[in-house]
Amino acid sequence: MKTAPFINYINQIVHLTKEEEELLKQKVRYREYRKDQFIVQQGDICRHVNFIIKGCTKAYYLDNDGQEHIVMFSIENWWASDMGSFITQTPADYNVQCIENTNLIQLDYVVIEELYEEIPKLERFFRKITERALVAAQKRIVRNFSKTAKERYLIFKESYPEIEQRIPQYMIAYYLGITKEFLSKIKSQILKNKQS
């Protein structure tokens, strides 16, 4: 069943009855995106929250010089959206683009509001995942101000080993706020230290 990973994820946080699961399954939409396809584009309104069943995405801001600033990667059992745009229904600050072919479950803005009425515990579920996202974002801000590029890379590598294997090195560099050349230098230095 295509929705099974999504239902299982929710049940780890709030327990749904079989009736609630069936109602939820009727309200969600399963979508498949190809590599490089956009789920959300900067300037458009984010109409859905997206739960990844299979695949990998990046959320990034494109500045006036065309420079990419990656703020987040998402893989299986993670969410991929511009939450600020979704919550306020205003133009998105970020692009959300597929790094791999990606299958996901989409929940429309209006549908979520309906579900809060029909399955009240889903409001608690979304509050919990929003709290987790806020904590993660705050920790990242503190790391960016207080850690060196090497320390930030080591934290990334330790926290998300499965992501590092799946994405190009230049994207990791953009995420860390450094050049790909500098990232190569950091990795060489780490390797050299291991060998000595």
Side-chain angles (χ1 to χ4, degrees):
M1 178 63 82
K2 292 175 177 176
T3 57
F6 178 60
I7 301 293
N8 293 341
Y9 178 82
I10 292 173
N11 278 323
Q12 290 171 18
I13 299 170
V14 295
H15 182 71
L16 299 175
T17 65
K18 291 295 170 203
E19 295 77 20
E20 288 168 338
E21 286 183 10
E22 287 309 312
L23 176 61
L24 185 56
K25 285 177 194 173
Q26 292 166 23
K27 299 268 188 174
V28 301
R29 188 166 67 162
Y30 178 81
R31 290 283 310 270
E32 295 181 3
Y33 287 85
R34 297 244 173 260
K35 181 181 176 180
D36 297 327
Q37 205 173 350
F38 287 91
I39 298 169
V40 180
Q41 284 191 275
Q42 199 170 318
D44 291 347
I45 294 172
C46 182
R47 304 283 181 196
H48 309 93
V49 286
N50 305 286
F51 179 82
I52 299 180
I53 302 293
K54 181 177 180 290
C56 182
T57 66
K58 62 177 177 176
Y60 67 96
Y61 170 76
L62 204 59
D63 69 21
N64 292 335
D65 297 326
Q67 179 64 46
E68 218 177 88
H69 302 276
I70 298 177
V71 294
M72 190 170 119
F73 297 107
S74 297
I75 57 170
E76 292 80 10
N77 294 327
W78 290 17
W79 298 84
S81 302
D82 182 319
M83 284 308 290
S85 171
F86 179 77
I87 290 166
T88 61
Q89 288 296 283
T90 57
D93 291 317
Y94 302 112
N95 294 291
V96 179
Q97 187 177 21
C98 299
I99 298 172
E100 302 170 350
N101 290 344
T102 301
N103 305 341
L104 46 82
I105 297 290
Q106 288 187 326
L107 281 153
D108 183 82
Y109 182 81
V110 173
V111 167
I112 284 186
E113 292 300 320
E114 289 170 3
L115 283 168
Y116 289 160
E117 296 293 323
E118 295 164 349
I119 311 172
K121 63 184 81 164
L122 284 181
E123 200 156 7
R124 179 170 182 268
F125 166 76
F126 278 105
R127 177 177 58 82
K128 288 290 202 187
I129 63 168
T130 303
E131 286 170 353
R132 290 178 186 177
L134 177 63
V135 169
Q138 286 181 330
K139 284 181 184 286
R140 178 151 185 242
I141 290 166
V142 170
R143 279 198 306 269
N144 284 353
F145 286 133
S146 63
K147 305 285 184 193
T148 65
K150 180 181 175 183
E151 289 168 331
R152 292 197 308 273
Y153 169 66
L154 289 170
I155 290 167
F156 175 83
K157 188 176 168 55
E158 186 180 313
S159 302
Y160 312 112
E162 69 281 15
I163 294 179
E164 189 184 16
Q165 306 308 313
R166 292 169 68 171
I167 59 176
Q169 291 301 294
Y170 78 89
M171 288 187 191
I172 296 172
Y174 289 171
Y175 175 82
L176 296 171
I178 58 177
T179 64
K180 58 185 178 185
E181 292 79 13
F182 192 46
L183 178 58
S184 291
K185 200 171 160 183
I186 288 170
K187 290 175 86 169
S188 298
Q189 188 183 53
I190 292 167
L191 192 61
K192 199 185 292 181
N193 290 346
K194 275 186 182 172
Q195 292 168 346
S196 50

